[in-house]
Amino acid sequence: MDELKNFLLGDYRETMDYVKKVERYGLTKFPPLIISCAITGGMHGKESNPNLPEEPEEQAQQSYDAYNAGASMIHIHARDPINA
């Protein structure tokens, strides 16, 4: 039990130790995790990446896709209407 407790509360900077622990215990033994996804940037738009959602419908779809991929929180930057 102590080994499992150390795994859950342990230091994950050593890659090989981490991999060995995951192989032994699997991913189901990890503590709860919150995944946050920032779907938009505050300054960049489609000129820098055509996949950035700018319209409300695009942002809703990207948020839904992030949720389906495991995100439990969405971070949306305010958009400047001039750069929208």
Side-chain angles (χ1 to χ4, degrees):
M1 188 67 167
D2 284 337
E3 187 178 352
L4 177 59
K5 182 178 177 183
N6 290 336
F7 169 64
L8 293 175
L9 301 175
D11 183 354
Y12 300 107
R13 289 178 287 188
E14 294 297 326
T15 306
M16 291 311 295
D17 291 342
Y18 171 78
V19 170
K20 288 177 188 175
K21 290 175 184 177
V22 169
E23 285 176 352
R24 179 165 182 184
Y25 297 112
L27 296 176
T28 60
K29 299 290 184 180
F30 277 88
L33 176 69
I34 295 174
I35 299 173
S36 178
C37 180
I39 63 164
T40 62
M43 299 173 74
H44 295 87
K46 292 195 181 285
E47 69 282 350
S48 63
N49 182 342
N51 297 312
L52 282 173
E54 292 180 341
E55 300 299 320
E57 295 80 14
E58 294 173 323
Q59 291 180 4
Q61 183 62 50
Q62 290 281 339
S63 298
Y64 183 68
D65 293 344
Y67 168 77
N68 285 331
S72 53
M73 184 184 317
I74 301 295
H75 178 97
I76 300 175
H77 287 263
R79 303 292 303 175
D80 183 351
I82 296 171
N83 295 334

